Amino acid sequence: MSETETEVGTAPRPLLLDDGRPAARAWSLDPGLRHLNHGSFGAVPLAAQERQQELRARMESAPVVWFPELPQRLAAARVELAAFLGAEPGDLALVPNASAGASVVYAALERRGGGEIVVTDHGYGAVTMGAERLARRWGGRVRTARVPLDAGEEQAYEAVMAEVGEDTGLVVVDQITSATARRLPVERIGAEARRRGVPLLVDGAHAPGLIDAPLKGLTCDFWTGNLHKWGCAPRGTAALVARGPLRDGLYPLIDSWGAADPYPDRFDQQGTVDATNHLAAATALDFVDRTWGWPAARRYMDELAGYGARVVGAALAGLTGSDASVDVGMPVPGMRLVRLPDGLAGSRLAADALRDRAPAELGVEAAFTSFGGAGYLRLSAHVYNTAEDYEYFAERCVPVLGEWARAVW
């Protein structure tokens, strides 16, 4: 074993399909790119794509039959998705994405307390902007809890709750943060917020599939998460879970003929919206479960992301002379951060520019993120990824990142 192999550890063996083919053959991903950013938009297996196309063909062949029957189909789909998430079917509504779920909550809530909304500095930008808009409507303000990247559960909990007071009308916290790939102690925050009578919205965008039954044991008024990320469902597939009396005020962002129905049934009728994505979601979830089992898939994703962080981090350290590893408090499976050279991705816009540049110039889809003025490469592995993907990035892409950083200097 070479010195480099000793440093980075043994690469996990790639997952295979039942017929012995590489797992990636079950997807239609462009073979000309290395797909190292499953966390942003997911990737839909062929089985789910084919199921959605079958449903679309049925919809288009008899639309006058399809749409009146659609609420019943969606109600059945909610039962399957609720079981996967650890929620009750009667608590779960179907929405296009996690941001839409948050928007539904923001649109419904009346001013509470002094009109203050507590968020964290790890929050997803679009969700935080929605909270700011709600605070303006309330005539209040947003208070931002500063949570250090390396904060453990106790420190993170104390940082959030220190901002919650008599004027707090809503708390918004990520279950898994997007830019920084860490958990926040939503279970403890939820229990304390409930004790104080303060509503809690949990942004669980990354949780379905990455965490087993993410709603199980979680106390919150509202939770919203994407099934089209780690769950590999078709695009635009997400869930909004609401518990308690406040849920009765939740309505779809589109007024339709189901408006008089109770929550969550009123979300099942949205005119001529193509809902085949939600109907095909269970096919994606079942594909992973039947082929490898979700526990085994999650173990592989975690081992591979850890290996990827070590091999890419070692390459970056060799390039810059600085340690590229990142101490993330409350880490999550399947996701890792690696510190980029100084000068790269120091802001969200700069990080997005690197994301857009990488496919054309590096041959990879990768996530570049920013937090606290520092730039990071966020690795997010799924079952179709292999160790060779990260070895390629370390060998071919890291030297180019060094050139880009020197150009900034």
Side-chain angles (χ1 to χ4, degrees):
M1 181 179 288
S2 70
E3 182 178 347
T4 300
E5 289 172 327
T6 302
E7 292 173 355
V8 302
T10 303
R13 298 179 62 180
L15 293 184
L16 301 175
L17 299 172
D18 293 338
D19 59 7
R21 294 180 302 157
R25 295 295 296 273
W27 274 261
S28 57
L29 293 165
D30 183 350
L33 291 172
R34 303 279 176 166
H35 300 274
L36 307 184
N37 184 18
H38 184 91
S40 284
F41 299 104
V44 186
L46 288 166
Q49 293 184 44
E50 291 164 358
R51 175 58 175 160
Q52 186 177 23
Q53 289 302 323
E54 173 191 330
L55 290 166
R56 278 179 171 158
R58 195 177 304 176
M59 174 179 68
E60 298 301 346
S61 68
V64 178
V65 174
W66 174 268
F67 285 103
E69 293 179 350
L70 184 57
Q72 289 73 36
R73 294 176 182 271
L74 290 174
R78 285 194 282 109
V79 173
E80 294 180 289
L81 300 181
F84 182 77
L85 295 173
E88 293 296 326
D91 294 338
L92 187 149
L94 299 173
V95 291
N97 52 45
S99 297
S103 296
V104 166
V105 174
Y106 294 153
L109 289 184
E110 299 296 331
R111 178 185 168 106
R112 302 176 64 87
E116 290 188 350
I117 300 173
V118 173
V119 301
T120 78
D121 55 349
H122 295 257
Y124 187 64
V127 173
T128 297
M129 285 189 286
E132 292 168 345
R133 182 165 58 86
L134 176 59
R136 290 194 297 270
R137 195 183 88 204
W138 280 358
R141 63 169 180 157
V142 166
R143 297 179 64 95
T144 302
R146 308 290 175 182
V147 181
L149 185 56
D150 62 353
E153 178 180 339
E154 184 65 29
Q155 185 180 4
Y157 169 79
E158 293 292 346
V160 173
M161 296 312 300
E163 300 298 329
V164 179
E166 293 182 357
D167 289 333
T168 305
L170 178 67
V171 177
V172 184
V173 181
D174 293 76
Q175 193 166 22
I176 296 173
T177 63
S178 179
T180 50
R182 61 158 293 155
R183 290 187 298 119
L184 289 173
V186 292
E187 293 83 5
R188 288 190 62 187
I189 293 168
E192 180 60 17
R194 178 63 54 85
R195 189 187 71 81
R196 299 191 191 187
V198 178
L200 171 65
L201 166 61
V202 174
D203 181 352
H206 286 270
L210 203 56
I211 296 177
D212 180 38
L215 270 297
K216 188 176 181 179
L218 176 59
T219 299
C220 62
D221 298 271
F222 314 104
W223 176 97
T224 183
N226 293 320
L227 289 147
H228 56 239
K229 288 183 181 285
W230 304 94
C232 297
R235 315 294 174 198
T237 307
L240 169 64
V241 174
R243 299 160 170 163
L246 291 176
R247 75 179 193 169
D248 293 333
L250 301 182
Y251 283 82
L253 298 177
I254 300 172
D255 285 324
S256 192
W257 290 104
D261 295 339
Y263 176 92
D265 298 350
R266 62 177 68 122
F267 285 76
D268 292 341
Q269 191 168 351
Q270 295 287 289
T272 55
V273 167
D274 182 353
T276 56
N277 50 338
H278 287 105
L279 298 178
T283 300
L285 302 176
D286 292 345
F287 168 74
V288 175
D289 194 38
R290 288 195 321 271
T291 308
W292 303 285
W294 275 103
R298 278 189 283 266
R299 283 195 301 271
Y300 175 76
M301 291 187 281
D302 192 42
E303 292 172 4
L304 184 57
Y307 175 80
R310 293 191 297 273
V311 73
V312 174
L316 283 166
L319 180 75
T320 65
S322 301
D323 185 6
S325 63
V326 182
D327 183 9
V328 175
M330 301 185 73
V332 296
M335 297 177 76
R336 296 291 191 280
L337 290 185
V338 180
R339 178 68 186 265
L340 290 170
D342 291 342
L344 291 183
S347 68
R348 182 185 67 82
L349 291 178
D352 288 350
L354 289 181
R355 174 205 63 197
D356 296 342
R357 189 178 182 183
E361 299 187 41
L362 301 180
V364 299
E365 290 186 329
F368 297 91
T369 69
S370 175
F371 181 75
Y376 299 94
L377 175 68
R378 189 196 71 191
L379 302 178
S380 52
H382 214 279
V383 295
Y384 55 79
N385 289 122
T386 67
E388 202 267 335
D389 290 329
Y390 300 95
E391 293 161 357
Y392 173 92
F393 191 96
E395 179 181 352
R396 303 289 184 87
C397 303
V398 165
V400 179
L401 292 179
E403 294 175 6
W404 291 356
R406 287 190 290 273
V408 173
W409 300 340

